[in-house]
Amino acid sequence: LQYIAHSARMRGVPEENMTVTEDFSRVENTYQMEAEVCIIFSDFGKMQNVCNLLIEKLGTSVTINPPHFYHTPEAIDTLRRQVCVTAVGNTRRKAQEVCQLFGQALGKPLLIKEEETKEWGGHIDSHLSHAADSQTLQERIQNATAYASCRVFAVFEIKGKENRRNKLL
């Protein structure tokens, strides 16, 4: 039990991301202990490394259940912001290319409006509990992957190149 927690901590898993439950029971004249260690990973590679190490070192004395994938509200919020910022950046680059095509310079944004945001995917295992046991790890990852798109409307100031040269002088 200590080895499991120590192995996870040594691979960067914070203490608050681990929950240990111990169950002692008496079977005839002996005592039996079962322990469950639940670890929340935010890095899939770390999860694989810890699981592989535990299987290698502890063999059949440890059972590793398939991972349960989920997205925290903070992670979904971060995804939404990143998608919006990327959409605005893409819009600006396209507008800049159009301005260059006509010999103009792109100025500051006058209006930026988020018109539509779509999200899909990111299904949680509990919604798929009947099929989760028969799915491969890749299928479970694919079903748990969240996607988002954002459509923005932007109006930019357009400057003639002559004006820009005069301002530099």
Side-chain angles (χ1 to χ4, degrees), residues 29-108:
N29 291 333
T30 62
Y31 289 95
Q32 179 177 334
M33 182 187 99
E34 286 187 23
E36 179 180 88
V37 180
C38 293
I39 304 173
I40 298 173
F41 290 94
S42 58
D43 181 320
F44 188 77
K46 281 184 186 177
M47 181 201 71
Q48 284 184 312
N49 289 340
V50 170
C51 290
N52 290 340
L53 175 76
L54 295 175
I55 289 171
E56 178 185 324
K57 299 293 183 185
L58 301 175
T60 58
S61 67
V62 66
T63 302
I64 297 178
N65 292 329
H68 171 77
F69 298 106
Y70 70 96
H71 301 281
T72 63
E74 296 83 12
I76 294 296
D77 188 49
T78 299
L79 175 65
R80 287 181 190 126
R81 283 194 318 275
Q82 287 174 340
V83 167
C84 183
V85 168
T86 300
V88 170
N90 289 344
T91 302
R92 183 183 176 282
R93 280 188 291 282
K94 287 179 183 178
Q96 203 164 26
E97 289 176 18
V98 170
C99 283
Q100 287 172 353
L101 189 66
F102 293 108
Q104 303 292 314
L106 187 67
K108 64 182 180 185

Side-chain angles (χ1 to χ4, degrees), residues 1-166:
L1 179 62
Q2 293 300 320
Y3 180 77
I4 294 171
H6 177 72
S7 297
R9 277 192 305 273
M10 294 304 292
R11 280 152 188 81
V13 176
E15 192 73 38
E16 61 268 14
N17 285 9
M18 287 186 270
T19 306
V20 178
T21 308
E22 297 176 35
D23 181 39
F24 289 97
S25 59
R26 187 174 179 163
V27 180
E28 296 179 10
N29 291 333
T30 62
Y31 289 95
Q32 179 177 334
M33 182 187 99
E34 286 187 23
E36 179 180 88
V37 180
C38 293
I39 304 173
I40 298 173
F41 290 94
S42 58
D43 181 320
F44 188 77
K46 281 184 186 177
M47 181 201 71
Q48 284 184 312
N49 289 340
V50 170
C51 290
N52 290 340
L53 175 76
L54 295 175
I55 289 171
E56 178 185 324
K57 299 293 183 185
L58 301 175
T60 58
S61 67
V62 66
T63 302
I64 297 178
N65 292 329
H68 171 77
F69 298 106
Y70 70 96
H71 301 281
T72 63
E74 296 83 12
I76 294 296
D77 188 49
T78 299
L79 175 65
R80 287 181 190 126
R81 283 194 318 275
Q82 287 174 340
V83 167
C84 183
V85 168
T86 300
V88 170
N90 289 344
T91 302
R92 183 183 176 282
R93 280 188 291 282
K94 287 179 183 178
Q96 203 164 26
E97 289 176 18
V98 170
C99 283
Q100 287 172 353
L101 189 66
F102 293 108
Q104 303 292 314
L106 187 67
K108 64 182 180 185
L110 302 174
L111 170 70
I112 297 175
K113 185 169 70 170
E114 187 176 24
E115 288 195 327
E116 180 183 28
T117 301
K118 290 182 184 177
E119 297 172 24
W120 65 98
H123 303 293
I124 298 173
D125 282 345
S126 61
H127 294 229
L128 304 168
S129 57
H130 62 282
D133 295 336
S134 62
Q135 292 179 329
T136 67
L137 185 58
Q138 288 295 350
E139 289 170 329
R140 294 178 75 167
I141 291 170
Q142 186 175 358
N143 286 334
T145 300
Y147 300 93
S149 70
C150 179
R151 189 175 67 197
V152 297
F153 175 79
V155 177
F156 295 94
E157 180 180 68
I158 297 176
K159 299 178 180 180
K161 285 205 172 183
E162 312 80 45
N163 296 343
R164 200 166 141 225
R165 271 190 231 120
N166 290 340

